[in-house]
Each structure stands twice: as C-alpha cells, then as structure tokens.
Amino acid sequence: MPIPMIKKLAVIGVGLIGGSLARALREGGHVGEVVGFGRSLGNLETAADLGVIDRAEVSVAATVRDADMIVVAVPVGCMESIFSQLATSMMDGAVVTDVGSVKRGVVAMARTALGVRCSAFVPGHPIAGTEHTGVSASKADLFEHHRIILTPEDDTDVAAVARVRAMWQAAGGDVVSMSVAEHDDILAVCSHLPHVLAYMLVDLLIRRDDHKTTFDLAAGGFRDFTRIASSDPTMWHDICLGNRDALVKVLKDYQQNLDDLLSAIDRGDGQWLMDTFTRAKRARDTYIVKHQN
Ligand code: NAP
C-alpha cells in the first residue's frame, strides 16, 4: 500500500465544502484517516454513515490530535474560536488551511489566535460550491477543474503552502495564488455582489402586496437570477461583514450603474440601452464560451 499524502485529515465543519474535500481525497486514496468535528451530532452521524469521515470527535483538540492536515470549513464568523482552540492543540509540523469566502478577516483572526503558529496557516478559498449546505450535499467532484485560490502571506511557511497546493490538486482543483487584498476585491465583484443582489431582488418581491401573483407569474429568468438567494443566510451574513469595505465600494459602483439605467429609461434613451445591453451580452456570451466546463 502506498503511503497516502495525508496521514490524518482533521475536518472542522463537515458540510458542503469540508465534506466534498474529504470525499475527493478519500476517493483518490490520498488520505489515511478522516476525523470530523462540527456543531450538531446529526450532521456528523450523517457524515460517518455516508463514509465521508471515519469518525467524529467531540472537541477540536481531540479532532486534531496527531493530524498532519487540518481544514477549517466552518462559516467565517466562527473561525476565530476554532483557531484559538487549534493554537493549543495542533501538533508541531501540522498544516492548517481554511476555505472561507473572505480572506482579510480570516487572516487577521488567524494571526491573533494562532500567534507563533501562524506560519503553518495557509489561507485558501475554493471557487466552487452550490446554494445547498450540509454534508448530504457534498460530492467528490465538486472541485474538479475549479479554481482554488491560496493567499499566503510573506511569513507563511513555503512547505505548508506546497502541501496545501498538493492537497487541492489531488482533489481536482486548479490552484492559483494571489494577495489577500486582490482576492477580496475581485470576489466582492464577481461573487459577493451577485449574491446580495439576488437576496435583495427576492426581498423586494416579497414586500409587495401582489407578491403571490408575482411569484406565480415569475418564470425561468427569475429562477436563474435568484438561484443563489437560496444560499445559507449565516454564511452570507458573515461574508458581507467580513468583506465590508470592498463590498460597500462595489455596491456604490452598482448604485451608480442603476442610477445611469434609471435616468436612461426615464429620458427614453434607447441608444444608451442598446449600447449597454449589447456590451453586456457580448461579454457574457464570451465568458460562457470560455468557461463551458
Ligand atoms: P455548510 O455546508 O453549512 O458547512 C458548514 C459546517 O460547519 C456545518 O457542518 C456546520 O455544522 C459546521 N459549523 C457551523 N458552525 C460551527 C461551529 N461554531 N463550530 C463547529 N462547526 C460548525 O457550509 P459550507 O457551504 O460548507 O461553507 C463552509 C465554509 O466554506 C464557509 O466559510 C464558506 O464561506 C466557505 N465556502 C462556501 C462555498 C459555498 O458555495 N457554499 C464556496 C466556497 C467557500 P452543522 O451541520 O452541525 O450545522
């Protein structure tokens, strides 16, 4: 039997992302043992029944004992407390990574909580997911051909970065590196903004007196646009507050765009509408062709 890349994987938060990573590594034979920790016993029992983890533990300390790779896959708002517990319980030589959708806040939490052990922490974010949550929604091929962003800091241990990179590549991901600031600015535009817009569109509709008829008549376009409004509110609450500066900036840009649209429609400026919609359609069509997989 070849020695697996990871002897013991500790997954803190065995949900969609943590569960999918565990599945991918197990299916590929890259991990010896997978131990999970979470909030509710029910989800961990399901994870064990599905074969995503070998066993669950009742504390962070017990979960990470002897683990050479620790993946923190809880909502961003709970990470600080997890990092604090890791600081006193992870073994020397262990590598810690996270999957949080924002990086500035997570890195700050890790610095404070992990202290001298922070060089073993490799911030990460898989650009893959769905609007569903929990281990039942996890799947082994979730990360295949998807970008995985790592945002190591100057003092991050290069060997730790190499191990996290190798782990994600084994799970099928295409790993790229960038700075924390670049990550948060880009994700604010291409991920965080669409999610909050989807929530706000649905919220606008439900506050109307005629919302029952409106929902009855809503068709595929509404369904496509609002799919991500079915995402977990806790996760998106944490992301909005965790990437506050970048999101406020991009929301102001969007507000300006909406003001431009409103005034073009109000003054009957068909040329503005045609130019803007044509430019947007061309850009989206190109994006779709380029990213068909
Ligand atoms: P999820 O399916 O809800 O999984 C989160 C897991 O964390 C759950 O199993 C939950 O346990 C556990 N958990 C929650 N609070 C906890 C706490 N205080 N202590 C210990 N465990 C706790 O969510 P997810 O979609 O996998 O998201 C996890 C992370 O991935 C988030 O940081 C998110 O930003 C990031 N992410 C998500 C996506 C996406 O599309 N969903 C994509 C990329 C990155 P219970 O099941 O018992 O509640």
Short mmCIF file of all heavy atoms in Angstrom, two decimals, residues 151-214:
data_model
loop_
_atom_site.label_atom_id
_atom_site.label_comp_id
_atom_site.label_asym_id
_atom_site.label_seq_id
_atom_site.Cartn_x
_atom_site.Cartn_y
_atom_site.Cartn_z
N THR A 151 -3.97 32.37 -0.56
CA THR A 151 -3.47 33.74 -0.34
C THR A 151 -2.41 33.73 0.77
O THR A 151 -2.62 34.32 1.82
CB THR A 151 -4.63 34.70 0.03
OG1 THR A 151 -5.21 34.28 1.27
CG2 THR A 151 -5.71 34.74 -1.03
N PRO A 152 -1.29 33.05 0.51
CA PRO A 152 -0.25 33.00 1.55
C PRO A 152 0.32 34.39 1.83
O PRO A 152 0.35 35.24 0.94
CB PRO A 152 0.81 32.08 0.95
CG PRO A 152 0.57 32.07 -0.52
CD PRO A 152 -0.89 32.35 -0.73
N GLU A 153 0.78 34.59 3.06
CA GLU A 153 1.40 35.85 3.45
C GLU A 153 2.92 35.69 3.33
O GLU A 153 3.43 34.57 3.13
CB GLU A 153 1.02 36.15 4.90
CG GLU A 153 -0.48 36.28 5.12
CD GLU A 153 -0.96 37.71 4.93
OE1 GLU A 153 -0.87 38.47 5.90
OE2 GLU A 153 -1.43 38.02 3.82
N ASP A 154 3.63 36.79 3.50
CA ASP A 154 5.10 36.74 3.37
C ASP A 154 5.73 35.75 4.34
O ASP A 154 6.75 35.13 4.05
CB ASP A 154 5.71 38.12 3.61
CG ASP A 154 5.39 39.06 2.46
OD1 ASP A 154 4.96 38.57 1.39
OD2 ASP A 154 5.55 40.28 2.63
N ASP A 155 5.12 35.63 5.54
CA ASP A 155 5.73 34.75 6.54
C ASP A 155 5.10 33.36 6.58
O ASP A 155 5.34 32.58 7.50
CB ASP A 155 5.66 35.41 7.93
CG ASP A 155 4.22 35.76 8.34
OD1 ASP A 155 3.32 35.67 7.47
OD2 ASP A 155 4.00 36.11 9.51
N THR A 156 4.27 33.04 5.58
CA THR A 156 3.70 31.68 5.54
C THR A 156 4.79 30.69 5.12
O THR A 156 5.53 30.95 4.17
CB THR A 156 2.52 31.59 4.55
OG1 THR A 156 1.62 32.66 4.81
CG2 THR A 156 1.80 30.27 4.66
N ASP A 157 4.84 29.59 5.81
CA ASP A 157 5.84 28.56 5.53
C ASP A 157 5.65 28.00 4.11
O ASP A 157 4.56 27.53 3.78
CB ASP A 157 5.67 27.45 6.59
CG ASP A 157 6.62 26.30 6.38
OD1 ASP A 157 7.67 26.51 5.74
OD2 ASP A 157 6.31 25.18 6.84
N VAL A 158 6.70 28.05 3.30
CA VAL A 158 6.56 27.62 1.90
C VAL A 158 6.24 26.12 1.80
O VAL A 158 5.52 25.70 0.89
CB VAL A 158 7.81 27.95 1.03
CG1 VAL A 158 7.90 29.42 0.75
CG2 VAL A 158 9.08 27.44 1.67
N ALA A 159 6.75 25.35 2.74
CA ALA A 159 6.46 23.90 2.71
C ALA A 159 4.98 23.66 3.00
O ALA A 159 4.35 22.76 2.41
CB ALA A 159 7.33 23.17 3.72
N ALA A 160 4.41 24.49 3.88
CA ALA A 160 2.98 24.35 4.19
C ALA A 160 2.15 24.72 2.96
O ALA A 160 1.17 24.04 2.63
CB ALA A 160 2.62 25.26 5.37
N VAL A 161 2.55 25.76 2.25
CA VAL A 161 1.83 26.15 1.03
C VAL A 161 1.88 25.01 0.01
O VAL A 161 0.86 24.66 -0.60
CB VAL A 161 2.43 27.45 0.40
CG1 VAL A 161 1.71 27.79 -0.90
CG2 VAL A 161 2.36 28.61 1.39
N ALA A 162 3.06 24.40 -0.12
CA ALA A 162 3.21 23.30 -1.09
C ALA A 162 2.30 22.13 -0.72
O ALA A 162 1.70 21.50 -1.60
CB ALA A 162 4.66 22.85 -1.14
N ARG A 163 2.15 21.86 0.57
CA ARG A 163 1.29 20.72 0.98
C ARG A 163 -0.17 21.02 0.72
O ARG A 163 -0.95 20.14 0.31
CB ARG A 163 1.55 20.39 2.45
CG ARG A 163 2.86 19.60 2.60
CD ARG A 163 3.27 19.44 4.03
NE ARG A 163 2.29 18.68 4.81
CZ ARG A 163 2.36 18.55 6.14
NH1 ARG A 163 3.33 19.12 6.81
NH2 ARG A 163 1.46 17.84 6.78
N VAL A 164 -0.58 22.27 0.96
CA VAL A 164 -2.00 22.62 0.72
C VAL A 164 -2.28 22.62 -0.78
O VAL A 164 -3.32 22.14 -1.25
CB VAL A 164 -2.34 23.98 1.38
CG1 VAL A 164 -3.74 24.43 0.99
CG2 VAL A 164 -2.22 23.87 2.90
N ARG A 165 -1.33 23.14 -1.54
CA ARG A 165 -1.46 23.13 -3.01
C ARG A 165 -1.63 21.69 -3.52
O ARG A 165 -2.53 21.38 -4.30
CB ARG A 165 -0.21 23.79 -3.62
CG ARG A 165 -0.16 23.78 -5.13
CD ARG A 165 1.12 24.45 -5.61
NE ARG A 165 1.06 25.88 -5.49
CZ ARG A 165 0.56 26.69 -6.42
NH1 ARG A 165 0.13 26.19 -7.55
NH2 ARG A 165 0.51 27.99 -6.24
N ALA A 166 -0.77 20.80 -3.03
CA ALA A 166 -0.82 19.40 -3.46
C ALA A 166 -2.16 18.75 -3.07
O ALA A 166 -2.74 17.97 -3.83
CB ALA A 166 0.35 18.63 -2.86
N MET A 167 -2.66 19.11 -1.88
CA MET A 167 -3.94 18.55 -1.44
C MET A 167 -5.07 18.94 -2.39
O MET A 167 -5.87 18.11 -2.83
CB MET A 167 -4.26 19.04 -0.02
CG MET A 167 -5.63 18.60 0.48
SD MET A 167 -6.03 19.27 2.10
CE MET A 167 -6.44 20.96 1.70
N TRP A 168 -5.12 20.24 -2.74
CA TRP A 168 -6.21 20.69 -3.62
C TRP A 168 -6.05 20.13 -5.03
O TRP A 168 -7.06 19.82 -5.70
CB TRP A 168 -6.26 22.22 -3.64
CG TRP A 168 -6.96 22.78 -2.44
CD1 TRP A 168 -6.40 23.52 -1.43
CD2 TRP A 168 -8.35 22.65 -2.10
NE1 TRP A 168 -7.35 23.85 -0.49
CE2 TRP A 168 -8.55 23.33 -0.88
CE3 TRP A 168 -9.44 22.02 -2.70
CZ2 TRP A 168 -9.80 23.40 -0.26
CZ3 TRP A 168 -10.68 22.08 -2.08
CH2 TRP A 168 -10.85 22.77 -0.88
N GLN A 169 -4.82 20.01 -5.48
CA GLN A 169 -4.62 19.42 -6.82
C GLN A 169 -5.09 17.97 -6.81
O GLN A 169 -5.72 17.51 -7.76
CB GLN A 169 -3.14 19.53 -7.22
CG GLN A 169 -2.78 20.94 -7.64
CD GLN A 169 -1.28 21.16 -7.81
OE1 GLN A 169 -0.47 20.40 -7.28
NE2 GLN A 169 -0.92 22.20 -8.55
N ALA A 170 -4.83 17.27 -5.70
CA ALA A 170 -5.28 15.88 -5.60
C ALA A 170 -6.81 15.81 -5.60
O ALA A 170 -7.40 14.81 -6.04
CB ALA A 170 -4.73 15.25 -4.33
N ALA A 171 -7.46 16.88 -5.13
CA ALA A 171 -8.93 16.91 -5.11
C ALA A 171 -9.49 17.40 -6.45
O ALA A 171 -10.71 17.57 -6.59
CB ALA A 171 -9.41 17.81 -3.98
N GLY A 172 -8.61 17.66 -7.41
CA GLY A 172 -9.06 18.03 -8.76
C GLY A 172 -9.05 19.51 -9.06
O GLY A 172 -9.42 19.93 -10.16
N GLY A 173 -8.61 20.33 -8.09
CA GLY A 173 -8.67 21.78 -8.28
C GLY A 173 -7.48 22.34 -9.06
O GLY A 173 -6.42 21.71 -9.13
N ASP A 174 -7.69 23.51 -9.66
CA ASP A 174 -6.61 24.26 -10.31
C ASP A 174 -6.21 25.37 -9.34
O ASP A 174 -6.97 26.31 -9.13
CB ASP A 174 -7.09 24.90 -11.63
CG ASP A 174 -7.52 23.84 -12.63
OD1 ASP A 174 -6.94 22.75 -12.61
OD2 ASP A 174 -8.46 24.12 -13.41
N VAL A 175 -5.02 25.24 -8.77
CA VAL A 175 -4.63 26.14 -7.68
C VAL A 175 -3.93 27.39 -8.22
O VAL A 175 -3.02 27.29 -9.04
CB VAL A 175 -3.70 25.41 -6.69
CG1 VAL A 175 -3.34 26.33 -5.52
CG2 VAL A 175 -4.36 24.13 -6.18
N VAL A 176 -4.40 28.56 -7.75
CA VAL A 176 -3.74 29.83 -8.08
C VAL A 176 -3.45 30.57 -6.77
O VAL A 176 -4.11 30.34 -5.77
CB VAL A 176 -4.60 30.72 -9.01
CG1 VAL A 176 -4.81 30.07 -10.37
CG2 VAL A 176 -5.94 31.06 -8.37
N SER A 177 -2.47 31.47 -6.83
CA SER A 177 -2.13 32.26 -5.65
C SER A 177 -2.33 33.74 -5.94
O SER A 177 -2.09 34.19 -7.07
CB SER A 177 -0.67 32.06 -5.25
OG SER A 177 -0.50 30.78 -4.73
N MET A 178 -2.76 34.48 -4.96
CA MET A 178 -2.87 35.94 -5.09
C MET A 178 -2.84 36.54 -3.69
O MET A 178 -2.85 35.81 -2.69
CB MET A 178 -4.13 36.34 -5.84
CG MET A 178 -5.43 35.93 -5.20
SD MET A 178 -6.88 36.47 -6.14
CE MET A 178 -6.76 35.52 -7.63
N SER A 179 -2.81 37.88 -3.63
CA SER A 179 -2.77 38.51 -2.32
C SER A 179 -4.18 38.51 -1.72
O SER A 179 -5.19 38.40 -2.44
CB SER A 179 -2.25 39.95 -2.44
OG SER A 179 -3.24 40.75 -3.05
N VAL A 180 -4.21 38.68 -0.42
CA VAL A 180 -5.49 38.76 0.30
C VAL A 180 -6.35 39.91 -0.26
O VAL A 180 -7.54 39.75 -0.52
CB VAL A 180 -5.19 38.99 1.80
CG1 VAL A 180 -6.41 39.47 2.54
CG2 VAL A 180 -4.66 37.72 2.43
N ALA A 181 -5.71 41.07 -0.47
CA ALA A 181 -6.46 42.25 -0.94
C ALA A 181 -7.04 42.01 -2.32
O ALA A 181 -8.22 42.32 -2.58
CB ALA A 181 -5.55 43.47 -0.95
N GLU A 182 -6.23 41.41 -3.20
CA GLU A 182 -6.71 41.14 -4.56
C GLU A 182 -7.89 40.16 -4.51
O GLU A 182 -8.91 40.35 -5.18
CB GLU A 182 -5.55 40.56 -5.39
CG GLU A 182 -5.81 40.56 -6.87
CD GLU A 182 -4.66 39.94 -7.68
OE1 GLU A 182 -3.65 39.48 -7.08
OE2 GLU A 182 -4.80 39.90 -8.89
N HIS A 183 -7.74 39.11 -3.70
CA HIS A 183 -8.82 38.14 -3.56
C HIS A 183 -10.11 38.82 -3.13
O HIS A 183 -11.17 38.65 -3.74
CB HIS A 183 -8.45 37.07 -2.53
CG HIS A 183 -9.59 36.17 -2.16
ND1 HIS A 183 -10.56 36.55 -1.24
CD2 HIS A 183 -9.97 34.95 -2.61
CE1 HIS A 183 -11.46 35.59 -1.13
NE2 HIS A 183 -11.12 34.60 -1.95
N ASP A 184 -10.05 39.61 -2.07
CA ASP A 184 -11.28 40.18 -1.51
C ASP A 184 -11.92 41.20 -2.47
O ASP A 184 -13.15 41.28 -2.56
CB ASP A 184 -10.99 40.82 -0.15
CG ASP A 184 -10.87 39.76 0.95
OD1 ASP A 184 -10.88 38.55 0.62
OD2 ASP A 184 -10.75 40.13 2.13
N ASP A 185 -11.08 41.97 -3.18
CA ASP A 185 -11.62 42.95 -4.13
C ASP A 185 -12.32 42.25 -5.30
O ASP A 185 -13.42 42.62 -5.70
CB ASP A 185 -10.51 43.86 -4.68
CG ASP A 185 -10.03 44.85 -3.62
OD1 ASP A 185 -10.69 44.96 -2.57
OD2 ASP A 185 -9.00 45.51 -3.84
N ILE A 186 -11.67 41.22 -5.83
CA ILE A 186 -12.23 40.52 -7.00
C ILE A 186 -13.49 39.76 -6.61
O ILE A 186 -14.51 39.82 -7.30
CB ILE A 186 -11.19 39.57 -7.63
CG1 ILE A 186 -10.07 40.40 -8.27
CG2 ILE A 186 -11.83 38.67 -8.67
CD1 ILE A 186 -8.90 39.58 -8.79
N LEU A 187 -13.42 39.05 -5.48
CA LEU A 187 -14.59 38.25 -5.07
C LEU A 187 -15.79 39.14 -4.71
O LEU A 187 -16.94 38.75 -4.88
CB LEU A 187 -14.22 37.32 -3.91
CG LEU A 187 -13.72 35.92 -4.32
CD1 LEU A 187 -14.87 35.09 -4.91
CD2 LEU A 187 -12.57 35.92 -5.31
N ALA A 188 -15.50 40.37 -4.24
CA ALA A 188 -16.60 41.29 -3.94
C ALA A 188 -17.43 41.55 -5.19
O ALA A 188 -18.66 41.60 -5.13
CB ALA A 188 -16.05 42.61 -3.39
N VAL A 189 -16.76 41.67 -6.33
CA VAL A 189 -17.47 41.98 -7.59
C VAL A 189 -18.14 40.74 -8.18
O VAL A 189 -19.32 40.79 -8.56
CB VAL A 189 -16.51 42.54 -8.67
CG1 VAL A 189 -17.29 43.05 -9.86
CG2 VAL A 189 -15.61 43.61 -8.11
N CYS A 190 -17.37 39.63 -8.26
CA CYS A 190 -17.89 38.51 -9.06
C CYS A 190 -18.68 37.50 -8.23
O CYS A 190 -19.35 36.63 -8.80
CB CYS A 190 -16.77 37.82 -9.83
SG CYS A 190 -15.58 37.01 -8.79
N SER A 191 -18.65 37.58 -6.91
CA SER A 191 -19.39 36.62 -6.11
C SER A 191 -20.28 37.30 -5.06
O SER A 191 -21.48 37.04 -5.00
CB SER A 191 -18.41 35.67 -5.41
OG SER A 191 -19.07 34.87 -4.47
N HIS A 192 -19.70 38.18 -4.27
CA HIS A 192 -20.46 38.74 -3.15
C HIS A 192 -21.57 39.67 -3.66
O HIS A 192 -22.70 39.61 -3.16
CB HIS A 192 -19.52 39.45 -2.17
CG HIS A 192 -18.37 38.58 -1.74
ND1 HIS A 192 -17.27 39.05 -1.07
CD2 HIS A 192 -18.15 37.24 -1.89
CE1 HIS A 192 -16.42 38.05 -0.83
NE2 HIS A 192 -16.94 36.95 -1.33
N LEU A 193 -21.26 40.50 -4.66
CA LEU A 193 -22.29 41.39 -5.21
C LEU A 193 -23.47 40.60 -5.80
O LEU A 193 -24.62 40.87 -5.43
CB LEU A 193 -21.68 42.33 -6.26
CG LEU A 193 -22.67 43.29 -6.93
CD1 LEU A 193 -23.21 44.32 -5.94
CD2 LEU A 193 -22.02 44.01 -8.12
N PRO A 194 -23.24 39.61 -6.69
CA PRO A 194 -24.39 38.86 -7.22
C PRO A 194 -25.24 38.21 -6.12
O PRO A 194 -26.47 38.18 -6.23
CB PRO A 194 -23.76 37.79 -8.11
CG PRO A 194 -22.38 38.25 -8.39
CD PRO A 194 -21.97 39.21 -7.33
N HIS A 195 -24.60 37.69 -5.09
CA HIS A 195 -25.38 37.05 -4.03
C HIS A 195 -26.28 38.06 -3.31
O HIS A 195 -27.46 37.80 -3.10
CB HIS A 195 -24.47 36.33 -3.03
CG HIS A 195 -24.06 34.96 -3.49
ND1 HIS A 195 -22.99 34.74 -4.33
CD2 HIS A 195 -24.58 33.74 -3.23
CE1 HIS A 195 -22.87 33.45 -4.58
NE2 HIS A 195 -23.83 32.81 -3.91
N VAL A 196 -25.72 39.22 -2.97
CA VAL A 196 -26.58 40.18 -2.24
C VAL A 196 -27.66 40.75 -3.16
O VAL A 196 -28.78 41.00 -2.72
CB VAL A 196 -25.78 41.31 -1.53
CG1 VAL A 196 -24.86 40.73 -0.47
CG2 VAL A 196 -24.99 42.19 -2.48
N LEU A 197 -27.37 40.88 -4.45
CA LEU A 197 -28.40 41.37 -5.37
C LEU A 197 -29.54 40.35 -5.48
O LEU A 197 -30.71 40.73 -5.53
CB LEU A 197 -27.81 41.63 -6.76
CG LEU A 197 -26.80 42.78 -6.87
CD1 LEU A 197 -26.34 42.94 -8.32
CD2 LEU A 197 -27.37 44.08 -6.36
N ALA A 198 -29.19 39.07 -5.52
CA ALA A 198 -30.23 38.03 -5.60
C ALA A 198 -31.12 38.07 -4.36
O ALA A 198 -32.36 38.02 -4.45
CB ALA A 198 -29.58 36.65 -5.75
N TYR A 199 -30.49 38.18 -3.18
CA TYR A 199 -31.29 38.28 -1.95
C TYR A 199 -32.20 39.51 -2.00
O TYR A 199 -33.39 39.44 -1.65
CB TYR A 199 -30.37 38.43 -0.73
CG TYR A 199 -29.76 37.15 -0.20
CD1 TYR A 199 -28.38 37.04 -0.01
CD2 TYR A 199 -30.54 36.06 0.16
CE1 TYR A 199 -27.81 35.88 0.50
CE2 TYR A 199 -29.98 34.90 0.68
CZ TYR A 199 -28.61 34.81 0.84
OH TYR A 199 -28.06 33.67 1.36
N MET A 200 -31.66 40.64 -2.45
CA MET A 200 -32.44 41.88 -2.41
C MET A 200 -33.56 41.89 -3.44
O MET A 200 -34.62 42.50 -3.21
CB MET A 200 -31.52 43.10 -2.61
CG MET A 200 -30.50 43.30 -1.48
SD MET A 200 -31.19 43.11 0.18
CE MET A 200 -32.14 44.61 0.31
N LEU A 201 -33.37 41.22 -4.57
CA LEU A 201 -34.45 41.14 -5.56
C LEU A 201 -35.62 40.34 -5.00
O LEU A 201 -36.78 40.75 -5.09
CB LEU A 201 -33.94 40.50 -6.86
CG LEU A 201 -35.02 40.24 -7.91
CD1 LEU A 201 -35.67 41.54 -8.38
CD2 LEU A 201 -34.46 39.48 -9.10
N VAL A 202 -35.31 39.18 -4.39
CA VAL A 202 -36.39 38.37 -3.82
C VAL A 202 -37.06 39.14 -2.69
O VAL A 202 -38.30 39.16 -2.57
CB VAL A 202 -35.85 37.00 -3.30
CG1 VAL A 202 -36.97 36.20 -2.66
CG2 VAL A 202 -35.23 36.22 -4.45
N ASP A 203 -36.26 39.84 -1.91
CA ASP A 203 -36.82 40.61 -0.80
C ASP A 203 -37.75 41.72 -1.29
O ASP A 203 -38.79 41.99 -0.69
CB ASP A 203 -35.67 41.20 0.04
CG ASP A 203 -36.18 41.85 1.30
OD1 ASP A 203 -36.78 41.11 2.12
OD2 ASP A 203 -36.02 43.07 1.47
N LEU A 204 -37.39 42.33 -2.41
CA LEU A 204 -38.24 43.38 -3.00
C LEU A 204 -39.60 42.80 -3.38
O LEU A 204 -40.65 43.38 -3.11
CB LEU A 204 -37.55 43.96 -4.25
CG LEU A 204 -38.31 45.02 -5.03
CD1 LEU A 204 -38.24 46.35 -4.29
CD2 LEU A 204 -37.75 45.18 -6.44
N LEU A 205 -39.54 41.59 -3.99
CA LEU A 205 -40.79 40.97 -4.44
C LEU A 205 -41.69 40.59 -3.27
O LEU A 205 -42.90 40.82 -3.32
CB LEU A 205 -40.47 39.73 -5.28
CG LEU A 205 -40.58 39.92 -6.79
CD1 LEU A 205 -39.58 40.95 -7.27
CD2 LEU A 205 -40.38 38.62 -7.52
N ILE A 206 -41.10 40.02 -2.22
CA ILE A 206 -41.97 39.53 -1.13
C ILE A 206 -42.58 40.67 -0.34
O ILE A 206 -43.56 40.48 0.37
CB ILE A 206 -41.26 38.54 -0.16
CG1 ILE A 206 -39.97 39.13 0.39
CG2 ILE A 206 -41.01 37.20 -0.79
CD1 ILE A 206 -39.27 38.25 1.39
N ARG A 207 -42.02 41.87 -0.45
CA ARG A 207 -42.59 43.00 0.28
C ARG A 207 -43.71 43.69 -0.49
O ARG A 207 -44.32 44.63 -0.01
CB ARG A 207 -41.49 43.99 0.67
CG ARG A 207 -40.65 43.43 1.84
CD ARG A 207 -39.66 44.42 2.42
NE ARG A 207 -38.54 44.68 1.55
CZ ARG A 207 -38.32 45.85 0.93
NH1 ARG A 207 -39.16 46.85 1.10
NH2 ARG A 207 -37.27 45.99 0.16
N ARG A 208 -44.00 43.21 -1.69
CA ARG A 208 -45.10 43.80 -2.48
C ARG A 208 -46.43 43.15 -2.08
O ARG A 208 -46.49 41.98 -1.76
CB ARG A 208 -44.85 43.54 -3.99
CG ARG A 208 -43.73 44.35 -4.58
CD ARG A 208 -43.42 43.87 -5.98
NE ARG A 208 -44.56 44.01 -6.88
CZ ARG A 208 -44.66 44.96 -7.82
NH1 ARG A 208 -43.69 45.83 -7.98
NH2 ARG A 208 -45.72 45.02 -8.60
N ASP A 209 -47.51 43.95 -2.14
CA ASP A 209 -48.84 43.42 -1.81
C ASP A 209 -49.24 42.30 -2.77
O ASP A 209 -49.96 41.38 -2.40
CB ASP A 209 -49.89 44.54 -1.88
CG ASP A 209 -49.69 45.55 -0.76
OD1 ASP A 209 -49.04 45.18 0.25
OD2 ASP A 209 -50.14 46.70 -0.91
N ASP A 210 -48.78 42.41 -4.03
CA ASP A 210 -49.18 41.42 -5.05
C ASP A 210 -48.15 40.29 -5.17
O ASP A 210 -48.03 39.67 -6.22
CB ASP A 210 -49.36 42.12 -6.40
CG ASP A 210 -48.08 42.81 -6.88
OD1 ASP A 210 -47.06 42.77 -6.13
OD2 ASP A 210 -48.07 43.36 -7.99
N HIS A 211 -47.39 40.02 -4.08
CA HIS A 211 -46.27 39.08 -4.24
C HIS A 211 -46.71 37.67 -4.63
O HIS A 211 -45.99 36.96 -5.32
CB HIS A 211 -45.39 39.06 -2.98
CG HIS A 211 -46.05 38.51 -1.77
ND1 HIS A 211 -46.71 39.30 -0.87
CD2 HIS A 211 -46.15 37.25 -1.31
CE1 HIS A 211 -47.18 38.55 0.10
NE2 HIS A 211 -46.86 37.31 -0.14
N LYS A 212 -47.94 37.28 -4.21
CA LYS A 212 -48.37 35.91 -4.55
C LYS A 212 -48.50 35.78 -6.06
O LYS A 212 -47.98 34.83 -6.66
CB LYS A 212 -49.72 35.60 -3.88
CG LYS A 212 -49.57 35.30 -2.39
CD LYS A 212 -50.72 34.40 -1.91
CE LYS A 212 -50.55 34.04 -0.45
NZ LYS A 212 -51.04 35.08 0.46
N THR A 213 -49.18 36.73 -6.69
CA THR A 213 -49.32 36.70 -8.15
C THR A 213 -47.97 36.85 -8.82
O THR A 213 -47.67 36.17 -9.81
CB THR A 213 -50.23 37.88 -8.61
OG1 THR A 213 -51.26 38.05 -7.67
CG2 THR A 213 -50.80 37.62 -9.99
N THR A 214 -47.15 37.73 -8.28
CA THR A 214 -45.82 37.96 -8.88
C THR A 214 -45.02 36.66 -8.90
O THR A 214 -44.42 36.30 -9.92
CB THR A 214 -45.05 39.03 -8.08
OG1 THR A 214 -45.91 40.14 -7.87
CG2 THR A 214 -43.81 39.49 -8.81
#
